[in-house]
Amino acid sequence: MCGIIGFSGTENCVPLLLEGLKTLSYRGYDSAGIAVHTDGGVTTVKAKGKLEILEEKLKTHGGLFGTCGIGHTRWATHGAPSLRNAHPHLSGNRKFAVVHNGIIENYASLKAELEAEGFSFASETDTEVVCHLLEKYYKGDLKEAVFSAVKRLEGSYALGILCSDMPETLVAVKRFSPLIIGIAEDANMIASDVTAIVPHTKKVIYIGDGEIAFLTPSSVELFDWQGSMKDRRISIVNWDVVSAEKNGWDHFMMKEIMEQPRAVAETLERNIKNGEVVFEGLKLDATRLKKINRINIIACGSAYHAGVVAKYVFEELLRIPTEVDLASEFRYRNPIVDGDTLTLAISQ
Ligand code: GLU
């Protein structure tokens, strides 16, 4: 699950982008990056690994300054976790910078189409098709280009977009992935979750699925997919930052319990392709799986309890003896494991 943050305001947004990314970092990430409008066009700085590395890079970048920008923490789905695949991604003419959360399901056919038309790709991500589509459809009207490009995209995505011809404008697109608009005194902003917005403002717009927003420091315009203008539904967040992190629940425990259906769906989503369950990274074929005669589950805390539930399910459905161990104790045992034992380690 990645994090998206974006600002269009009057002060330097670079430190604000970094702060926002830190707030969103609990969502997990493998690389991070920002893009800001500068005098010389859109400038991007990215880093693989921890946000501290991005922060260090920014220091050596000689005080990057811009009042409108986007930031991203990536959780790779298409292409390795690497500097090359880190967001934001740029169009070939460097006019458009894009951050994306989610998956563009039809990226392969779009990529083939764009490559046949002469666009060349700099990354392995599905996201990059969005940059080239924007370039392809841009004839001087940003809104037209955005509407034309998003109509081509299938899948789930939240997008933050910059166009160098409109240095005060930040574009937000939402379809099934989370994205929220914040409305402050001298700035408007976007973020994957309200925790990154409440330090700046309590006024938010929950963008609906299939909606597109154009933000400047003083305006927010909301459209549907067909380009018809929508009413802005401003809500007031009545939480401080701590309770916002609890998403409105009184206790983190309640939040975690209530989030389970969504968390389970989001976790499984990336392992279901065309109705089939696939674990691409697992490298266990059916022959190997059939030989398994013992399962060891190793976990701590709540994950241990999840393991105990799994033991019941596995023994019931698979008839394979399953043991659950507290990970902190397992290292002290002389466990009976061999080449046909499957070990599952569960961690948050
Ligand atoms: N699918 C995109 C990628 O692999 C975005 C992943 C994310 O949500 O961080 O780069």
Side-chain angles (χ1 to χ4, degrees), residues 122-142:
S123 78
E124 304 156 325
T125 63
D126 50 340
T127 306
E128 203 184 329
V129 295
V130 184
C131 311
H132 299 304
L133 282 176
L134 287 165
E135 178 178 334
K136 168 174 163 158
Y137 290 120
Y138 185 66
K139 305 278 182 278
D141 184 330
L142 176 60

Side-chain angles (χ1 to χ4, degrees), residues 2 72-78 87 100-103 125-127:
C2 85
H72 187 265
T73 44
R74 177 174 187 239
W75 185 265
T77 64
H78 292 63
H87 298 215
H100 164 219
N101 169 209
I103 292 172
T125 63
D126 50 340
T127 306

Side-chain angles (χ1 to χ4, degrees), residues 211-268:
E211 288 185 344
I212 302 169
F214 294 83
L215 289 75
T216 68
S218 55
S219 67
V220 174
E221 289 180 342
L222 208 58
F223 296 88
D224 67 17
W225 237 232
Q226 273 63 47
S228 312
M229 200 153 227
K230 308 260 302 198
D231 283 344
R232 304 180 330 150
R233 310 157 300 264
I234 297 178
S235 315
I236 306 295
V237 180
N238 286 320
W239 312 323
D240 56 18
V241 178
V242 176
S243 57
E245 276 169 358
K246 293 194 214 121
N247 247 342
W249 298 101
D250 287 342
H251 307 282
F252 277 105
M253 184 186 275
M254 276 311 288
K255 173 181 181 251
E256 289 182 5
I257 291 170
M258 301 316 282
E259 278 182 354
Q260 280 181 30
R262 185 171 59 84
V264 169
E266 280 180 8
T267 307
L268 294 184

